[in-house]
Amino acid sequence: MSNDKQFVKEITPQGEDFSRWYIDVIKKADLMSYSPVRGCIVFKPDGFEIWENIQRELDSKFKETGHRNAYFPLFIPESFFQKEKEHVEGFNPELPWVTEAGGEKLEERLAIRPTSETMIGHMYSEWINSYRDLPLLINQWANVVRWEKRTLPFLRTTEFLWQEGHTAHEDEQDARRETMQMLEVYRQFAEDFLAIPVIVGQKTPSEKFAGAVDTFSIEAMMKDGKAVQAGTSHYLGTNFAVAFDIKFLDRENQHQFAHTTSWGVSTRLIGALIMVHGDDRGLVLPPKVAPTQVIMIPIGPPKTREQVIGRVDELYAELKKAGVRVKVDDSADQSPGWKFNEYEMRGVPIRVELGPRDMENGQVVLVSRVTGEKKTVLQANFVEEIQNLLAEIHQQMYDKAKQFRDEHYIAVDSIDEFKTFLESKRGFALAGWCGSNACEEQVKQETGATSRNIPFKPSETKSTCLVCGDAAKHTVVFGRSY
């Protein structure tokens, strides 16, 4: 057996070691490489194309809602962080600092951007003078650095890529409308583009963004039952406006502080995609985000090869014209069987097989990565059949992920019941919470789980706190997380 064939097969089963499975898959699918810098990765083309597709879709949604892109510096003066106390306390443990440049010690330390509220707040104070300048709706695509103690490719790295939206508004009502609008953009994107079902809700005070008045999130469940925070939207009130003097003359010619928001998603979405949809054969990529949606593989003996490849090229051109991301593997150095396994492992949604008999019958064989089912269709209907199957695969992936989440998402009345659930199964628990930090912390200490959010639409409302038994102020989703 060649090394190449072993390469295709060497994936640890999920049930044996989920973390090892994850690392095996992202390396064998050629999504990334480890860099020589601790906690940093190199995005290889297939991995980066996933991010480009995410970026392209979200960018269009941001622009549809009136936002424009800008770019702000990577380096942030230390004094900026001192202006908003809660913000600096929240990020200080993760901040890397630049203290020297050009062989000379800097007069003021510069932080390498962990997030941009401070820098953007400073610039907004210069740009905003009147209510006519509002709302100011800006998004930035950038890299950020947070000195993580424990890292995991895509999900938690020292440097990662993201987008961060920052907006300023005349009043609280408009800023809160923006906060919820962008949260809904994220929900729709996760479910309609990535086929990931999410729980939408508000973070508890201990879990909100440092410096925010309120933080809202979408939470996704991985196949090991852990949560990934797939997107957040923050109402910042006037906290950063006061700190950075973002004032404007209102319609009565009075000075007011702007109300601001921020919201973002990152390359951790790639890790979430892998962990939500992948299986023991490797990646399973949703059609809308897959770098290659269709792989075409000509098969048959050498004497018919030229004719088959000619027809494959014609069908390939039809798909390209229709906007499908398609590739042809007509290489002669690997068997069709090897190619089938290889592209399954890489998560390509549809495989197309065309051989001499298919040529004679005017047919082509389509194989779904999700179900493994083969479907023979007429070449005359080829493009339409592909497009229909891509849509079908997306829905099947969403339904499968939602079914898994529903089967691992229970309601509990006590912390002991929650612990029993975690010992026997894995997933999220819906429980009542009295609102005290002590009870929330006890859940974390005894179970390793944190509050994920207070869901807007819980399946049921709990009346008592799972820890102290007092009346519940909120019904909360608890779960272990990445």
Side-chain angles (χ1 to χ4, degrees), residues 149-442:
K149 293 180 180 179
R150 297 178 60 189
T151 60
L152 187 64
F154 297 122
L155 284 174
R156 194 173 290 278
T157 52
T158 299
E159 179 189 12
F160 55 93
L161 307 178
W162 77 350
Q163 59 75 209
E164 48 179 323
H166 296 270
T167 68
H169 304 262
E170 282 189 70
D171 53 38
E172 178 175 349
Q173 181 180 3
D174 195 49
R176 285 193 176 275
R177 181 202 59 77
E178 164 78 6
T179 303
M180 302 314 295
Q181 173 185 253
M182 302 319 294
L183 186 69
E184 175 61 14
V185 166
Y186 289 154
R187 183 204 65 78
Q188 289 181 355
F189 172 75
E191 299 191 341
D192 298 345
F193 196 77
L194 304 181
I196 297 177
V198 292
I199 298 170
V200 187
Q202 181 175 352
K203 287 288 190 181
T204 63
S206 68
E207 293 290 328
K208 71 180 181 180
F209 177 73
V213 174
D214 291 313
T215 290
F216 304 88
S217 72
I218 56 172
E219 304 285 333
M221 184 187 292
M222 307 299 100
K223 278 192 174 176
D224 62 351
K226 290 184 178 180
V228 164
Q229 182 177 280
T232 52
S233 187
H234 316 286
Y235 168 60
L236 304 176
T238 58
N239 291 347
F240 286 88
V242 170
F244 289 90
D245 201 34
I246 309 173
K247 287 181 181 177
F248 66 95
L249 281 173
D250 67 13
R251 297 165 195 271
E252 281 72 47
N253 213 36
Q254 299 294 315
H255 275 108
Q256 303 289 345
F257 286 109
H259 291 251
T260 64
T261 79
S262 66
W263 29 273
V265 300
S266 75
T267 41
R268 68 168 25 201
L269 286 176
I270 299 175
L273 273 176
I274 298 164
M275 287 189 170
V276 169
H277 298 303
D279 60 25
D280 285 346
R281 292 180 295 167
L283 287 179
V284 183
L285 294 175
K288 295 178 184 179
V289 77
T292 301
Q293 296 172 310
V294 176
I295 182 68
M296 302 186 69
I297 301 176
I299 56 178
K303 64 180 180 180
T304 62
R305 180 176 176 79
E306 187 174 335
Q307 184 181 7
V308 170
I309 290 176
R311 183 55 179 148
V312 165
D313 287 344
E314 292 172 352
L315 295 173
Y316 165 87
E318 291 180 20
L319 286 182
K320 288 287 285 186
K321 186 177 180 180
V324 176
R325 295 189 292 275
V326 56
K327 290 183 179 178
V328 174
D329 188 342
D330 58 2
S331 60
D333 58 339
Q334 293 290 357
S335 69
W338 186 94
K339 294 177 185 179
F340 297 167
N341 289 331
E342 176 74 2
Y343 293 106
E344 276 190 358
M345 182 270 294
R346 291 179 178 271
V348 177
I350 297 176
R351 181 174 79 242
V352 174
E353 302 171 11
L354 183 68
R357 185 174 298 178
D358 301 310
M359 294 277 291
E360 293 175 7
N361 297 328
Q363 299 173 334
V364 67
V365 176
L366 312 184
V367 185
S368 165
R369 172 62 179 89
V370 174
T371 65
E373 294 176 359
K374 289 191 173 187
K375 181 180 182 181
T376 301
V377 302
L378 294 175
Q379 292 179 21
N381 303 330
F382 180 59
V383 173
E384 183 182 357
E385 292 282 359
I386 288 287
Q387 291 172 328
N388 290 340
L389 185 53
L390 288 171
E392 186 179 314
I393 287 172
H394 172 92
Q395 190 61 49
Q396 288 171 339
M397 291 181 70
Y398 177 83
D399 291 344
K400 189 175 182 179
K402 187 174 184 301
Q403 180 180 351
F404 178 89
R405 188 194 69 185
D406 292 347
E407 291 172 352
H408 296 80
Y409 183 20
I410 68 165
V412 300
D413 295 315
S414 70
I415 193 169
D416 288 337
E417 189 179 352
F418 185 26
K419 286 192 285 188
T420 299
F421 166 69
L422 290 175
E423 289 167 5
S424 61
K425 214 169 182 180
R426 60 193 188 278
F428 298 169
L430 191 68
W433 174 54
C434 65
S436 79
N437 290 336
C439 286
E440 187 178 6
E441 181 62 23
Q442 188 171 336

Side-chain angles (χ1 to χ4, degrees), residues 68-110:
R68 300 183 70 192
N69 289 331
Y71 187 80
F72 298 84
L74 175 67
F75 302 108
I76 301 174
E78 183 175 13
S79 58
F80 283 22
F81 284 93
Q82 305 303 328
K83 293 184 178 182
E84 215 294 326
K85 182 181 178 183
E86 187 180 343
H87 187 68
V88 70
E89 288 177 353
F91 278 100
N92 200 43
E94 299 176 338
L95 287 178
W97 295 97
V98 177
T99 58
E100 294 183 17
E104 297 181 1
K105 189 175 181 64
L106 299 179
E107 291 183 9
E108 180 179 10
R109 292 196 303 174
L110 298 174

